[in-house]
């Protein structure tokens, strides 16, 4: 008998496979279908700060019919007061924002009532914009945890590395002060000193860090000579980057690590656990292969465990983390001379 149970963010999961936040976790019906396939937990579709701001601006435009006011929601978001009538404007802004957030709260309340598998709410934030009161309301719905998706592209010439990194800590501090819900953060890899930053973040009161979010990829259309975008879905070769960093970081951080991006198959799933991940998040595979990929990953992992004589996940988790390797340099190698020199 193999036991796939694990703990993540202090929660007991029946296995380490998590359906990550996406369009498939955006309705109660499809959350139920995913849960029925056997996942250990589900991250609900995020409420997006930027989307709320866009929606709020639309509402403001309708109510006021005044084009001059169109830019004002973003001004208020940034704390800029532009004119004397800001108070009235601020009222409309708050009202519209509250509506968008209430809709999300109703959705996760319903979802939580429908499934027994742990449910993780998600906020996609780009600033420290009064998220604590919303986080408090999320906590009151009874969901099991909250994932904060914070992805800052370091493209602003006026901000140095510390400025950007402080945003992460400010958001976490603000929310941690108001909620007891276990919190995880989902991050990208744009840090000037990734290991140190992840270690510091792991000591900031979060219970888990999801490595990594997958950036929206820029592309160009050469015929139209326009900016376009790369594939929305990952492919099954994209897991290596995450694998390296989970292996480097596991055992050296003060919280759980959850592996994400490019994990489509049972062996990619097992690799992340060998690297030291507490859980593994899957999204693109659900779209590309269908929900059947969930039992496929779990059944094949159990068979692999039987073949290798592992009774439970703890018996092999972290076996290939960098700190346990005889040749840790193999994980850090970034130049290819030895590997490539034999190829002609
Ligand atoms: C259609 C789609 C919608 C997504 N929506 C969200 C979201 O709302 N919040 C979030 O944190 N990540 C979102 N993601 C990112 C995924 O959760 C995941 O981090 C990313 O797709 C990489 O994992 P994968 O390689 O398994 O797809 C979305 C991804 C896709 C493909």
């Amino acid at each position: 008998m193999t036991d796939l149970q694990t703990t993540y963010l202090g929660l007991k999961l029946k296995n380490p496979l998590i359906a990550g936040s996406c369009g498939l976790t955006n309705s109660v019906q499809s959350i139920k279908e995913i849960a029925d396939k056997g996942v250990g937990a589900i991250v609900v579709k995020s409420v997006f700060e930027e989307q709320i701001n866009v929606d709020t601006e639309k509402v403001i435009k309708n109510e006021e019919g005044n084009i001059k006011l169109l830019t004002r929601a973003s001004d208020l978001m940034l704390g800029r007061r532009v004119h004397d009538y800001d108070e009235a404007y601020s009222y409309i802004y708050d009202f519209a924002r509250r509506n968008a957030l209430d809709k999300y709260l109703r959705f996760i309340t319903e979802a939580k009532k429908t499934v027994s598998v742990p449910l993780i709410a998600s906020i996609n934030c780009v600033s420290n914009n009064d998220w604590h009161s919303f986080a408090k309301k999320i906590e009151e719905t009874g969901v099991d945890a909250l994932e904060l998706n914070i992805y800052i592209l370091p493209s602003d010439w006026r901000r140095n590395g510390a400025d950007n990194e402080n945003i992460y800590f400010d958001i976490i501090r603000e929310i941690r002060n108001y909620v007891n819900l276990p919190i995880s953060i989902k991050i990208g890899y744009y840090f000037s000193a990734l290991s140190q930053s992840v270690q510091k973040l792991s000591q900031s009161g979060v219970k888990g860090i999801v490595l990594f979010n997958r950036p929206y990829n820029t592309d160009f259309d050469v015929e139209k000579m326009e900016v376009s975008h790369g594939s929305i879905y990952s492919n099954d070769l994209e897991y290596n980057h995450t694998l390296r960093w989970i292996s480097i970081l596991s055992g050296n951080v003060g919280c759980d690590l959850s592996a994400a991006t490019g994990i489509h198959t049972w062996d990619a799933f097992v690799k992340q656990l060998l690297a030291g991940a507490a859980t593994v998040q899957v999204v693109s595979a659900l779209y590309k292969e269908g929900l059947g990929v969930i039992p496929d990953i779990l059944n094949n992992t159990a068979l692999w465990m039987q073949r290798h004589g592992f009774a439970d996940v703890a018996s092999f988790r972290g076996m290939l983390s960098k700190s346990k390797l005889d040749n840790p340099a193999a994980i850090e190698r970034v130049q290819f001379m030895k590997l490539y020199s034999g190829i002609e």
Side-chain angles (χ1 to χ4, degrees):
M1 273 295 282
T2 47
D3 178 3
L4 282 170
Q5 282 184 84
T6 192
T7 56
Y8 177 58
L9 314 179
L11 307 167
K12 272 204 167 133
L13 309 194
K14 62 185 171 193
N15 64 66
L17 180 55
I18 294 182
S21 178
C22 65
L24 299 172
T25 62
N26 200 21
S27 82
V28 175
Q29 177 57 26
S30 109
I31 283 177
K32 186 176 176 316
E33 284 166 22
I34 292 171
D36 288 346
K37 291 290 178 188
V39 287
I42 297 174
V43 186
V44 178
K45 174 80 180 160
S46 305
V47 59
F48 277 72
E49 178 173 347
E50 285 153 310
Q51 184 61 43
I52 286 175
N53 291 326
V54 170
D55 290 350
T56 303
E57 290 193 359
K58 276 190 210 146
V59 173
I60 289 167
K61 187 187 176 194
N62 290 344
E63 299 220 351
E64 297 290 299
N66 183 347
I67 204 80
K68 251 170 67 180
L69 289 179
L70 261 178
T71 56
R72 304 285 304 289
S74 38
D75 284 331
L76 286 164
M77 185 188 103
L78 295 170
R80 290 200 290 260
R81 294 180 67 82
V82 189
H83 291 297
D84 290 343
Y85 47 87
D86 274 349
E87 207 175 315
Y89 191 84
S90 172
Y91 175 79
I92 299 169
Y93 175 74
D94 286 345
F95 173 80
R97 185 169 188 265
R98 230 178 14 251
N99 257 1
L101 297 180
D102 283 351
K103 198 169 143 201
Y104 189 74
L105 293 171
R106 283 196 299 276
F107 161 52
I108 58 174
T109 305
E110 193 55 33
K112 181 61 198 164
K113 275 194 240 152
T114 309
V115 293
S116 57
V117 68
L119 210 57
I120 303 172
S122 169
I123 303 178
N124 193 309
C125 23
V126 291
S127 72
N128 187 10
N129 184 21
D130 191 31
W131 284 113
H132 63 268
S133 55
F134 184 53
K136 184 83 201 145
K137 288 187 181 144
I138 285 182
E139 183 169 41
E140 286 161 10
T141 65
V143 291
D144 301 275
L146 173 62
E147 184 175 283
L148 305 173
N149 181 344
I150 316 172
Y151 203 143
I152 294 158
L153 193 72
S155 58
D156 185 338
W157 302 97
R158 294 161 302 180
R159 304 179 69 85
N160 64 28
D163 292 336
N164 286 328
E165 285 165 24
N166 281 339
I167 298 174
Y168 294 81
F169 290 98
D170 289 347
I171 294 172
I172 293 165
R173 192 177 317 107
E174 176 87 354
I175 292 184
R176 284 283 302 121
N177 280 341
Y178 285 83
V179 298
N180 294 315
L181 208 55
I183 291 172
S184 59
I185 51 166
K186 182 178 185 180
I187 60 172
Y189 35 76
Y190 294 118
F191 288 85
S192 51
L194 186 59
S195 291
Q196 196 186 71
S197 296
V198 172
Q199 193 173 54
K200 280 195 203 154
L201 285 168
S202 77
Q203 292 155 354
S204 66
V206 297
K207 291 255 182 336
I209 301 182
V210 184
L211 303 171
F212 295 100
N213 201 342
R214 184 170 181 271
Y216 169 86
N217 286 316
T218 303
D219 207 346
F220 289 164
D221 181 323
V222 291
E223 294 306 328
K224 292 185 185 159
M225 283 174 277
E226 281 176 5
V227 176
S228 60
H229 62 80
S231 172
I232 290 173
Y233 305 117
S234 67
N235 65 51
D236 61 0
L237 300 174
E238 286 183 43
Y239 66 82
N240 303 77
H241 193 64
T242 296
L243 191 65
R244 163 184 278 161
W245 285 101
I246 296 278
S247 176
I248 289 174
L249 293 163
S250 64
N252 289 299
V253 291
C255 71
D256 295 332
L257 296 177
S258 184
T261 292
I263 298 134
H264 289 231
T265 56
W266 71 267
D267 49 333
F269 175 79
V270 167
K271 288 175 195 182
Q272 302 292 348
L273 298 174
L274 284 168
T279 55
V280 179
Q281 302 202 3
V282 172
V283 168
S284 292
L286 303 179
Y287 283 95
K288 286 180 162 182
E289 311 297 330
L291 300 188
V293 76
I294 295 166
D296 185 69
I297 289 175
L298 294 172
N299 293 339
N300 279 300
T301 298
L303 289 173
W304 174 85
M305 286 168 67
Q306 281 164 21
R307 279 205 305 281
H308 292 273
F310 296 125
D312 53 30
V313 176
S315 312
F316 68 93
R317 173 181 289 125
M319 261 175 75
L320 296 183
S321 87
K322 187 190 153 201
S323 55
K324 295 203 181 135
L325 293 179
D326 293 337
N327 176 19
I331 292 284
E332 300 240 3
R333 187 163 295 135
V334 284
Q335 303 296 340
F336 322 105
M337 203 177 69
K338 199 171 159 202
L339 189 63
Y340 284 5
S341 58
I343 301 175
E344 286 171 358

